[in-house]
Amino acid sequence: MTTARATPLAAPAAPAAAASPLRWWALAALAAAQLTVVMEMNLVPVALPTVQRELGLGGAERALVVSVYTLAFGLLFLPAGRLSERLGRRRAFVLGLAGFGAASLLTGTADGPGTLLVLRGLQGAFGALALAPASMALVARTFPDPRERGTAIGVFTAVAGGGGGLGVLFGGLLTEHASWRWCMYGLAPLAAFAIAVALYAIPADTPAEHRTTGPLLPLRVLRDRTRAGVFLAVFTANIGTFGGFAVISYTLQEGAAWSPTGAGLAILPLTAVVVANSVFGAPFLLRTLTPKVLLGSGTALVAAGTGWLAVAASGTPYAVGVLPSVLLMGFGITWIMISANGTLAQRTELRDMATAGGMVNITTQLGGAVGVPLMLALDARTAAVTAGALIALAAVLVAVLVDAPRLRGATH
């Protein structure tokens, strides 16, 4: 769910410059883009049972409807960042959003599995192009004052965190009361708003004079054991959350005859935990616990939440089956998010900061691309136990890999 939203807190800042009087409007454009893409990631799992019935999707196609988007986004994010250097950040941002909006409108008209999968891949590709330049580097350039930049980063991250919950909620409402197709159509106005505000508030830039010429992913970024542990935690946690959303949606709608709206509301407690824990719990956790504890324990909590879905699959009441699962996953993903940000910032050289932040987005999407097919390919109980065991193993590896001191002056 979420952590396309996790980006290093200390992204490299642009040289000191006078702050633009339109900088908060610029932030609105960046946040709207983040909201659009993050909502899309969470709309589809709730609508998936209805899409399958209407378009006659097979088992493999059902999983691909979600994972083709996340796979395209994850694999193309770093190349999209390099392309944005050549085009200029604002131009790439606008082009990516325009393509994303158009692909979303076309996806809503899909009349068969093949067309739907191709258009979902296009959504992921253009989403990567939109978010690659709309990152902390552009926020840092827009907000040269460190105090304002901290506020802007907090807003940017909070919008991304809440976007997952809005996607789940609106996915259920639109599917039940209009059509799953409106889950796609509704993204276009948000993208258009972000484009209009960006053209008004973000100054035009020229392609970078000093373009990056090295590899897209220098091996030194992965070679550090602590960074590797961060990426592993994000990847495996999103196997559980993305896959868990799909299992919960199917269990409630197909097994317990819940409505799409009810299934969406059933997942909302996870978002509430993420937002509340990020706002109120993060400062205390970061002051008192090391990244090893936060990342390892967070991954273990996601493993427990994923495994608990085996209880939900046995037909137990919501309060016994689904609710404990989403709460455990909510706490786990939050502990990972708040620690990953500061740990990467503290552990990474300025020249690699953008790449390290991009890797968080990539591992988030690739986790979803693995988790959904894995958990939909098996019966719900077997899927929950298998995925929970794999994530628990990853939690041990994360605890072994991460070796970083308590974050210095960390806040979220």
Side-chain angles (χ1 to χ4, degrees):
M1 168 175 179
T2 66
T3 52
R5 49 191 173 267
T7 319
L9 291 176
S20 167
L22 299 176
R23 60 193 179 280
W24 297 108
W25 281 104
L27 178 63
L30 300 178
Q34 181 87 327
L35 177 65
T36 303
V37 177
V38 171
M39 279 185 64
E40 200 285 337
M41 297 172 190
N42 295 277
L43 285 165
V44 174
V46 178
L48 196 53
T50 303
V51 176
Q52 182 178 10
R53 288 192 297 269
E54 184 172 323
L55 297 186
L57 302 179
E61 293 166 335
R62 178 186 66 179
L64 282 173
V65 168
V66 177
S67 60
V68 72
Y69 173 90
T70 56
L71 194 61
F73 187 107
L75 292 179
L76 295 176
F77 192 86
L78 286 179
R82 185 65 59 86
L83 180 60
S84 73
E85 290 182 358
R86 297 181 178 276
L87 295 176
R89 287 194 179 100
R90 190 182 79 164
R91 188 178 301 166
F93 177 67
V94 170
L95 178 61
L97 278 174
F100 181 86
S104 297
L105 290 174
L106 290 172
T107 302
T109 68
D111 58 1
T115 304
L116 180 64
L117 292 176
V118 169
L119 292 171
R120 289 279 293 153
L122 284 176
Q123 280 184 296
F126 281 111
L129 183 58
L131 285 197
S135 64
M136 291 305 102
L138 191 51
V139 172
R141 191 188 73 174
T142 306
F143 292 88
D145 181 272
R147 291 172 297 181
E148 288 192 345
R149 188 186 311 137
T151 300
I153 289 173
V155 170
F156 193 77
T157 305
V159 166
L166 287 175
V168 168
L169 178 60
F170 282 110
L173 288 170
L174 290 171
T175 300
E176 182 175 356
H177 299 291
S179 164
W180 69 266
R181 298 178 187 276
W182 279 98
C183 295
M184 301 294 107
Y185 298 149
L187 296 170
L190 275 174
F193 169 80
I195 290 171
V197 177
L199 292 173
Y200 169 70
I202 299 177
D205 54 355
T206 57
E209 294 180 6
H210 303 287
R211 294 173 182 166
T212 305
T213 56
L216 288 174
L217 179 59
L219 288 179
R220 63 178 177 270
V221 174
L222 301 177
R223 207 172 282 138
D224 179 86
R225 56 184 289 179
T226 292
R227 283 197 295 267
V230 170
F231 301 145
L232 178 62
V234 173
F235 173 70
T236 52
N238 281 283
I239 289 177
T241 52
F242 273 97
F245 281 4
V247 168
I248 290 169
S249 181
Y250 264 88
T251 298
L252 294 180
Q253 292 185 61
E254 301 297 299
W258 283 43
S259 67
T261 301
L265 289 172
I267 299 171
L268 272 186
L270 184 149
T271 301
V273 168
V274 169
V275 173
N277 207 19
S278 296
V279 173
F280 300 109
F284 171 77
L285 291 170
L286 292 173
R287 283 196 308 269
T288 56
L289 299 178
T290 63
K292 177 189 288 288
V293 172
L294 284 171
L295 289 164
S297 299
T299 309
L301 286 170
V302 174
T306 305
W308 194 268
L309 287 175
V311 177
S314 64
T316 56
Y318 171 79
V320 176
V322 174
L323 182 60
S325 175
V326 297
L327 292 178
L328 286 167
M329 287 193 285
F331 277 102
I333 200 72
T334 307
W335 286 27
I336 291 169
M337 283 167 52
I338 63 177
S339 182
N341 284 344
T343 301
L344 288 178
Q346 186 167 287
R347 194 79 177 197
T348 307
E349 298 178 21
L350 287 177
R351 61 175 176 165
D352 294 326
M353 194 71 74
T355 302
M359 279 299 297
V360 175
N361 286 280
I362 291 166
T363 50
T364 294
Q365 302 309 317
L366 293 183
V370 171
V372 173
L374 171 66
M375 297 189 72
L376 289 182
L378 306 169
D379 68 88
R381 189 176 303 177
T382 303
V385 172
T386 302
L390 290 174
I391 300 169
L393 175 60
V396 176
L397 293 176
V398 168
V400 170
L401 287 171
V402 175
D403 180 22
R406 190 173 287 109
L407 301 181
R408 297 187 297 269
T411 58
H412 190 64

